[in-house]
Each structure stands twice: as structure tokens, then as C-alpha cells.
Amino acid sequence: MPLTREQIAMRIAQEVYDGYYVNLGIGIPTLVANYIPADIQVMLQSENGLLGMGPYPTEAEIDPDLINAGKETITAIKGAAFFSSADSFAMIRGGHVDLTVLGAFEVDQHGNIASWMIPGKMIKGMGGAMDLVAGAKNIVVAMAHANKDKQSKLLKQCTLPLTGVNCIRRVVTDYAVLDIYDGAFHLLERAPGVTVEEIIEITEGELHVPDHVPEMKF
Amino acid sequence: MTGLNKVVNTYEEALAGFTNNMTVMIGGFGLCGIPEGLIRLIHELGYSGLTCISNNAGVDGFGLGLWMEKRQIKTMISSYVGENALFEKLSISGELEAILTPQGTLAEKIRAGGAGIPAFYTATGYGTPVGENKEVREFDGRKYILEKALTADFSLIKAWKADTYGNLIYRETAMNFNPMMATASNITVVEVEEIVEPGELDPNFIHTPGIYVDRIIKGTFEKRIERRMTRKEDK
């Protein structure tokens, strides 16, 4: 069975290590915070100016001055820091954030990503996504492997306007974990119960499949 | 003489010299940390043809959404405008020009504008629609695009506390774009929650030194919340 959104988040949480500074995008990436192991210390960065993002507030804790990059009310953990947007993106652009998790419409075998604009649909803007993909040392993309009609979102060449070029190294989809290098996708793990053949069928980009592809472990 | 005392008592005084067709920076991230009273007065007075530099465009009926309803904005320079449905309509009909700018590039363009740096190279946006028609230069094997600094006629910003000299302290994530915008305009007007006497703010913890600030007005704030999220009380 393909993974649920929560399972994708659970698998990505395994990419988070003790001492990491992590930026989580909106959607599935936000869910990753729920699955970070309790025995490691991690600082979550919110690009509107907070290091040390905590859980949502209780009704009594709500503070309109304290929001995340999704404009949701949030809390700050002990040891948190606030800073300006210029400082925030200096952290991001300067490569100081250890791991960035974000969503995408399309990723291709050259590590290009399209995540911000579908021509003809509402133009919302890229927010911080272009800065994040240009600056992060380590990016994991959380996305659907294909659309409802089984058309692949892992392509030879992105068709939508790009967010960044040659910047994505790892993708976690509802079907598989894949790395991107040498101009191809490399299959690392498959979702429990999903076959290699199913993954090949919904991957348009060049896909390298090793002899043994283990199932993901949770 | 007023010396270094920059406090004004009315929003009209705070906006003296503001005219149609100006370029104006407005602080805030979403509705968090926006100068609500200054935005409201410009809406009431109906100035138009404005070029606005602001990370977001408010929501329908609040913040910069008000200026949009009255068609006061000619050009909007922002990173994300998804919360404002009217924005889409006006930008499709051509009534509003939108210049979408990556958030970190926007922050740095404003910072550079205030710091006397005319342009800078960044990898952000290279190879994307943002990089089209911009100078590309390679440093150590990586390609960067040239982005120009931004400055404005007015900056309308929001801080938590000011002393009468204009030294400012922001609160939590209501800081966002306000510190850079304070530096990047001919006239910087700050709307604050509290004004204190010089000496009452610890000089070790000033975020924006008073040299950047021209006018200070004490505001009243609704502080509308865009996405109210809560968790259950801890057991």
C-alpha cells in the first residue's frame, strides 16, 4: 500500500539527527515534527524569524505576535531565539540549516524542483521556497509519486516553472525513497507492500534499481 | 526645538508629506507586526498609484487588503500573496502589477538598500523565472544572479516599544521585515505599542537604533490572527 501523509512524515523523521537545525515547509513537512524521536534534541526554524518553534499554543497561550511561516499561532520552546527576516534568510542562504523538508509538484532526474507556480492557476508566490532550495545543505522533498491518473511527478525534465535547479538529492514519496545523482533517480526503499514494478511504472525519469530494494521500516 | 524627540501625536502628522504615486515599504509577515493605524489612514485618505514593498498583501478587508479594495496599489512587490483573493483578480485584469520576489531576496534587497549596497549576487532564483533577464555570474563553480537593492519614499513599520529618540524593540515574530525597512526609506514612520523615555530601554537590547527612525506614533492594535491553531491543555 502507498504511504499515508503521516507515514511519509514518519519516514522523513528518520532523516533528522540529534543536534540538527531543521526547517519544515507547509503540508506534509509540518507533520514531520510529530515524529521526531523524543531522545534527540532538534531546533525547528521558522523562516519568519524563529529558531526553536514549539507546538501549537493552548487556548490560554495564544499570542498574535508569535506565528509560524504558515501564519499559524505557535509557541517558542525554552532556548528559542527571534530575529529579522534578513537574519533568517542569512541562516538559510548561508547553509546553516542542517535539513530542509519541503513539498513539490514535480522533481526531475537532474535534481530540479517545481513547487510554486502552475501557469493558468492562481499565482500565490514562492515565499521562501527558492531561498530554501538554493541554500540548504540537505533537502528532503515530501511528495506524491504520481497524480490520480498515475502520471508521474518524478520526471526526466520538470514541465512547470522551476523553484531551483540541481538542488534536490533525496525524495520521499508515498511509494518510495529515492536519491538523485548522476542524472538519474536511484531507488533506495519501497513502501511496505509496494513492488519495484509498481514504482517503475509510475516513475517517468531515468530510474536505477539495485538488485535488492528493502521495504521502509517504521 | 524638538531635538531628537521624534514622537508625533496624530497619524496625519506621522504621514506628513505622503503623496500619490509614492513607493512605500510596509512591515509585517502576514498580519503579524503590521502598522495597523498607518495602513488605515492611508486607506481613508485614498492615496493611489502606490508601489508597495511588503512580504504579503494582507487579507480581504484587513491590512493591505484595504488598499487593494480601493485600488490604491499600482505595483506590489511581495513574496507571497496567496491569502488575498482580490489580488488574483486585479493582477489578472492588469489593474495591479505584481513583482513576486523570493522572501530571502526581498529581505536582502531591503537590507542592502538601507546599507548603501546597490546590488548583490545570490544563488536564489537562478535557473527559475526569477532569474530571467538578470545578470549571471559564476563564483567558485556556482552560478548566481544579480539582484538590485530596494529603497522607498516612506517605510511604515511596527515595533513593540520605542523611546522618544526612536530606539526600537520588536516583539517575537512581529519583528520580521520591520528592522530592514526601518533603514531603507527617506522617511521611516514607526507605530508602536508603548513609548518610553530615553534611558528606559536597555541599550544592550535595542534592535533598531534611533538614527533610522523619523517619526514615532503610539498606535492601538487589533492584532488580528490569520490562522488560529491550538492544542488541548496539557494534562
Side-chain angles (χ1 to χ4, degrees), chain A residues 122-137:
Chain A
M122 178 164 177
I123 297 167
K124 294 186 169 189
M126 68 293 284
M130 286 192 183
D131 308 279
L132 282 159
V133 298
K137 284 183 284 192

Side-chain angles (χ1 to χ4, degrees), chain A residues 91-172:
Chain A
M91 288 171 203
I92 289 165
R93 205 187 300 103
H96 304 279
V97 176
D98 296 298
L99 175 67
T100 291
V101 183
L102 42 79
F105 302 139
E106 297 174 344
V107 166
D108 72 27
Q109 64 195 36
H110 309 290
N112 300 327
I113 174 172
S115 67
W116 72 283
M117 182 188 172
I118 298 176
K121 288 207 179 165
M122 178 164 177
I123 297 167
K124 294 186 169 189
M126 68 293 284
M130 286 192 183
D131 308 279
L132 282 159
V133 298
K137 284 183 284 192
N138 188 3
I139 304 170
V140 174
V141 172
M143 65 188 292
H145 206 109
N147 68 14
K148 276 175 281 179
D149 304 324
K150 298 260 176 184
Q151 283 174 313
S152 184
K153 295 175 175 228
L154 306 190
L155 305 173
K156 290 188 192 325
Q157 194 83 52
C158 288
T159 62
L160 296 169
L162 295 180
T163 308
V165 295
N166 191 20
C167 53
I168 306 303
R169 297 285 165 269
R170 179 158 291 185
V171 180
V172 178

Side-chain angles (χ1 to χ4, degrees), chain A residues 25-78:
Chain A
I26 293 163
I28 295 173
T30 303
L31 300 175
V32 173
N34 300 337
Y35 303 106
I36 295 172
D39 60 347
I40 66 171
Q41 262 196 321
V42 171
M43 275 277 192
L44 297 181
Q45 202 242 22
S46 188
E47 65 264 26
N48 56 318
L50 166 61
L51 261 179
M53 182 165 59
Y56 291 133
T58 63
E59 205 54 53
E61 288 170 341
I62 284 183
D63 179 345
D65 288 339
L66 185 45
I67 63 169
N68 65 17
K71 285 134 194 156
E72 299 172 330
T73 48
I74 202 75
T75 56
I77 63 168
K78 273 184 192 157

Side-chain angles (χ1 to χ4, degrees), chain B residues 5-76:
Chain B
N5 184 348
K6 296 164 183 174
V7 177
V8 297
N9 295 312
T10 66
Y11 285 111
E12 285 77 6
E13 282 177 82
L15 290 172
F18 198 94
T19 64
N20 292 336
N21 305 313
M22 276 191 161
T23 297
V24 54
M25 295 184 178
I26 306 98
F29 186 94
L31 302 179
C32 181
I34 61 173
E36 295 181 20
L38 294 167
I39 291 172
R40 210 179 301 121
L41 185 65
I42 286 180
H43 175 244
E44 282 166 20
L45 296 178
Y47 293 113
S48 64
L50 303 176
T51 295
C52 296
I53 301 165
S54 174
N55 188 53
N56 310 96
V59 297
D60 294 321
F62 197 71
L64 294 189
L66 293 171
W67 296 7
M68 217 159 293
E69 281 167 20
K70 242 182 174 173
R71 311 293 189 267
Q72 292 174 273
I73 302 173
K74 182 185 67 168
T75 304
M76 189 79 218

Side-chain angles (χ1 to χ4, degrees), chain A residues 56-57 59 61 63 65 67 70-73 84-85 89 93 122-127 131 134 162-163, chain B residues 56 79-81 88 100 103-105 124 128 142 171-173 175-177 223 227-231:
Chain A
Y56 291 133
E59 205 54 53
E61 288 170 341
D63 179 345
D65 288 339
I67 63 169
K71 285 134 194 156
E72 299 172 330
T73 48
S84 73
S85 301
F89 283 93
R93 205 187 300 103
M122 178 164 177
I123 297 167
K124 294 186 169 189
M126 68 293 284
D131 308 279
L162 295 180
T163 308
Chain B
N56 310 96
S79 85
Y80 190 82
V81 294
E88 182 190 23
L100 291 170
Q103 197 173 133
T105 295
T124 303
T128 77
R142 190 164 187 211
R171 185 167 179 274
E172 299 174 338
T173 57
M175 182 187 303
N176 56 64
F177 281 80
K223 294 195 183 181
R227 298 216 169 89
R228 189 184 188 89
M229 301 294 285
T230 55
R231 68 173 199 278

